[in-house]
Each structure stands twice: as C-alpha cells, then as structure tokens.
Amino acid sequence: MRISFSSFETYQNCPLKYKFQNIDKIKEPKSKEAIFGSILHSVMKFVHTPGILSPSLDQAMEFFSNLWNATIFENPDEERAAFSQGVRMIQDYYKKNNPAKFNIVDLESRFQIEIGKEGEKHIVSGIIDRIDKTENGFEIIDYKTTKKMPAQEKVDNNMQLSVYLQAFLSRYPSERKNLSNLKVSLYFLKHGVKLSAQRTEEQLQKTEGKFLETIRLIKEEHFEPQISPLCDWCGYQNICPMWKHKFKNARKIDTEEINRSIQEYIDLKSAITITRNRLGKLQQKIFQYMEQEGADRVFGENGIIAKSKRKTYGYDKEKIKALLEPLGFWEEITKIDGIALRGILEVLPFEVRKSLEETKTLEKETETLVVKKG
Ligand code: SF4
C-alpha cells in the first residue's frame, strides 16, 4: 500500500475523512486556512532558494503580494486581516533569521520510504519543507501556520518529524550513527518560534509500528467518523453522517413533521433531566419527614407514597455452575443475577432451588418511594 504522511495524519484525526479523500476520491474544497498556509510555504521556499544573493525582505513581500488570493475570503475585513498577518509573519521571520546564513541542502524535498517486512512492504511518501546542513550535522524543518503552538513534549514525540527523519536517513544512511547531531524542528510562523528536538533509534522504530497499525486498520475498512474541533475545517461536513443534517435546508428533504419531532425530543430529554433532579430533592425531603414522624406511608390528596426496600443479591458463580451444569441449565444463563435465575427457577427440582437460594448473599439494601395513585 502507498500512503502519504498527510493521509496518515488525516486517518489519525478522522478515519471517515480519510475514506472520503483517499478511497471515494471525493475532492475537498480547499479551506482559506490551507490556501494561506501554502502561500506562506511558497514564500519560505522563495526566501531560502539558494542563489548568488538571498532575497531581501522587500523582495519576499513582493513575492507574497503576487501570490495573494483575495477571492477566498468572505469579506474585505477578513481579507485585510489575513494579509496583514502574512506581512507580519514574514517581517518577523526576517527579524529573527538571516536567510543568507543558512546552508540549505534541500527545499520541498519529496521522499518515499519503504516500511514493513518482506512480503508485506508499504510505501510512505511526503514532502520535507527544508533540510539544512548545520555545524555538526543536519536540521530538518517543517513550517507551521497554525494558531496553536504545542508544548515541547509534543514536538519531542511528533510523528511527522520522526517520519521525516526516517526519510532523511534513508537518503543519507551514514548519518544514522550521528543521530545526536540531527535536529528536527517545527517553525511556527505565526508565533515566530522554532521548537526543536532529536530522536532516538527506539523512537524511530516505534514510528514504523504506528504506520503499520494504521495500514492494518485501513485494510480492515475501519472508517468511523471522529468528531473533533477539526470538523470546523472539514470540507466533507455536508456528506458526513455526523453533520449532514445541519445542511438540511440545502437538501430540502426534511419535512415539518420531522423537524418538530427532533425539537420535541430534545425538549423532552431536557425536561426529563430537570424532573429527575427535582424528584431526587423531593424524595430526600419526604424521607426526612417520614423518619421524623416514624411513618412508612404518607398521604396526599391524589395518592399515597410508601417506603419500599430493594435488596440486591450477589451470587457465587462457581456454586451455581456446579448446581446447574449437571441439569443442563448452565448454558442458558448468560448473566448471573436474580432476573436471569428467576427465568429457570420454576422448572428446577425443589432441592436445587433451595440450594440456589442458599448461594446468594445480600449485597446491598436500598430504600425507595413507591406511589399509589387515587
Ligand atoms: S466532519 Fe468531522 S467527523 Fe465528519 S468526516 Fe469531517 S472530520 Fe470526520
């Protein structure tokens, strides 16, 4: 099987989205966030493309403006805010980095690595944003344009960086003995922060295991939807069983009656919760009153409330098995409790019934209130 890192990541976030994208081949409209991200990636590539002179900040800005796509935004305010944010990100990048000082080995470097054992090999592919030569080794960098920046711990275990390092090592196998000088980094352009980490042999091996497990799940066709905050950016909401009903007006297939039923069901469910809480409070008050008056029944205008004791028994499974198995009844018992046993009690000989009774022990006794109306 061939799987790209981004498809693997999609599967991890939502198996159903993976299916829509990779198996059903349904095209997903690109979100404005994704388009903004790819523009910034192109700017970074432009900034670091080796040449006689590195592009200046003004040249980088001009490149950014030429790529800008204003049509993807809903209104001029949103478009202006996004453009200014892009400008700020590039200015900040230049403030903290001098592009001329990096020793670039490769940009947007495509890779394919083999995983699995003989007879069941798979190909993992992807694109590494940037590979730099450092003083003692190399650095692999991936740019992020996300709002959220993870904790260092997440970067230490980031799967994408592990895969990228594996890909790097398959291209430069002699660097495997130099692991301590190979850096993997995520550069968060919105924050102007780069978080770096290293990898051990053990971590790299675990990466392959996670891929193989995901491939197994895909082959077994596990494609359950996974609701998460990422659904907000998913282009398949209108066909996803978890969301498509929200688009009912566009589909025009819902009748007034079903709409009313949905609303009424939600209202009734909320009313049940409110009633249950109120009943609990009233029960407490009535129990207190009965206790104080030494009464086991209280009389209202529309009925009587009486205390009732409920006993729960526990059963010794081995003893019951020893009694029922010789009579051929053991197989009929799927669960050992009073209800299940009651079903067969009447057909059992008196002696066996008596012995069964003796195996039970009182586990708990609770008091409840029963209402007799009228
Ligand atoms: S909307 Fe959410 S649950 Fe549905 S496919 Fe997309 S990510 Fe998965």
Side-chain angles (χ1 to χ4, degrees):
M1 174 171 179
R2 291 180 76 88
I3 182 165
S4 68
F5 180 79
S6 73
S7 305
F8 164 83
E9 209 171 31
T10 302
Y11 188 89
Q12 297 296 309
N13 292 330
C14 175
L16 183 61
K17 182 169 179 173
Y18 171 89
K19 179 175 178 282
F20 286 149
Q21 230 166 38
N22 298 280
I23 297 180
D24 304 338
K25 307 267 183 225
I26 303 170
K27 275 231 167 307
E28 184 188 20
K30 262 198 161 187
S31 67
K32 46 186 185 271
E33 289 80 8
I35 297 173
F36 180 82
S38 38
I39 293 174
L40 260 296
H41 274 73
S42 302
V43 174
M44 287 300 124
K45 187 180 179 194
F46 170 75
V47 165
H48 287 292
T49 299
I52 302 170
L53 283 176
S54 292
S56 64
L57 174 60
D58 285 346
Q59 285 169 318
M61 287 300 182
E62 194 187 336
F63 187 81
F64 171 66
S65 304
N66 290 339
L67 285 183
W68 190 245
N69 179 355
T71 58
I72 55 168
F73 296 94
E74 273 144 39
N75 55 59
D77 287 349
E78 195 187 48
E79 190 261 324
R80 257 194 308 275
F83 187 82
S84 315
Q85 189 170 50
V87 168
R88 269 199 309 277
M89 282 155 83
I90 299 166
Q91 282 172 337
D92 186 69
Y93 189 81
Y94 266 80
K95 213 184 282 171
K96 292 173 179 161
N97 302 276
N98 178 356
K101 290 218 164 137
F102 295 106
N103 189 353
I104 305 291
V105 176
D106 206 358
L107 295 169
E108 295 196 355
S109 175
R110 289 181 182 276
F111 67 83
Q112 286 197 354
I113 46 172
E114 239 184 20
I115 57 163
K117 49 182 190 305
E118 217 41 71
E120 218 201 322
K121 293 264 186 210
H122 307 283
I123 304 280
V124 177
S125 62
I127 303 172
I128 302 173
D129 285 341
R130 187 171 130 198
I131 304 172
D132 284 8
K133 176 81 190 81
T134 57
E135 207 180 319
N136 306 317
F138 291 87
E139 180 174 8
I140 290 161
I141 301 168
D142 192 68
Y143 301 114
K144 297 284 177 205
T145 50
T146 47
K147 259 196 218 140
K148 244 177 111 182
M149 208 176 73
Q152 176 66 42
E153 196 194 339
K154 290 250 159 110
V155 180
D156 292 341
N157 297 299
N158 179 283
M159 183 76 176
Q160 183 181 17
L161 292 176
S162 300
V163 174
Y164 286 7
L165 185 56
Q166 285 276 39
F168 171 84
L169 290 171
S170 73
R171 196 186 296 173
Y172 302 100
S174 60
E175 289 299 319
R176 198 169 270 277
K177 56 181 185 316
N178 194 25
L179 269 189
S180 59
N181 288 317
L182 302 181
K183 210 153 74 160
V184 283
S185 305
L186 294 178
Y187 198 116
F188 293 88
L189 293 166
K190 271 189 189 156
H191 307 80
V193 173
K194 187 172 76 169
L195 295 178
S196 301
Q198 285 170 330
R199 291 292 182 269
T200 60
E201 259 313 328
E202 201 192 347
Q203 278 177 306
L204 293 178
Q205 272 157 24
K206 272 192 198 152
T207 310
E208 178 163 332
K210 280 188 195 154
F211 259 93
L212 293 174
E213 173 59 10
T214 302
I215 288 171
R216 181 184 69 76
L217 292 170
I218 292 171
K219 286 192 163 172
E220 287 175 8
E221 301 187 357
H222 291 283
F223 297 124
E224 298 76 22
Q226 177 79 48
I227 302 178
S228 76
L230 294 175
C231 290
D232 287 349
W233 291 275
C234 177
Y236 298 113
Q237 278 199 358
N238 61 340
I239 52 168
C240 168
M242 300 309 220
W243 293 95
K244 68 178 178 186
H245 189 256
K246 243 182 96 180
F247 300 84
K248 61 182 188 294
N249 291 337
R251 294 186 297 121
K252 291 196 188 318
I253 60 160
D254 292 281
T255 63
E256 264 300 297
E257 194 192 344
I258 190 70
N259 285 340
R260 271 202 311 274
S261 305
I262 293 168
Q263 203 43 54
E264 192 182 341
Y265 188 85
I266 295 170
D267 291 346
L268 285 175
K269 275 284 186 186
S270 325
I272 288 175
T273 314
I274 296 167
T275 309
R276 208 176 276 142
N277 292 341
R278 182 71 189 138
L279 277 174
K281 283 191 182 135
L282 291 174
Q283 180 167 300
Q284 216 178 348
K285 224 178 235 175
I286 295 168
F287 267 135
Q288 261 171 15
Y289 177 77
M290 285 173 150
E291 195 68 45
Q292 174 191 309
E293 294 297 312
D296 283 351
R297 298 206 305 161
V298 286
F299 295 78
E301 275 175 20
N302 48 359
I304 302 169
I305 301 175
K307 261 189 200 171
S308 165
K309 284 198 167 81
R310 187 183 291 156
K311 292 178 179 173
T312 313
Y313 293 98
Y315 293 86
D316 184 323
K317 186 180 166 194
E318 287 314 310
K319 283 185 190 164
I320 292 180
K321 189 175 176 189
L323 283 166
L324 297 183
E325 209 165 30
L327 300 171
F329 284 109
W330 179 242
E331 296 301 314
E332 286 180 34
I333 305 280
T334 49
K335 192 176 159 210
I336 300 178
D337 63 15
I339 300 167
L341 290 176
R342 215 177 297 145
I344 57 162
L345 269 184
E346 48 202 54
V347 291
L348 294 176
F350 175 74
E351 280 310 313
V352 181
R353 261 190 279 159
K354 210 168 136 223
S355 308
L356 267 182
E357 280 294 311
E358 283 164 11
T359 64
K360 73 181 187 186
T361 48
L362 184 63
E363 271 185 351
K364 66 173 179 196
E365 195 171 335
T366 47
E367 274 193 333
T368 177
L369 295 177
V370 289
V371 174
K372 218 172 177 190
K373 283 189 120 193

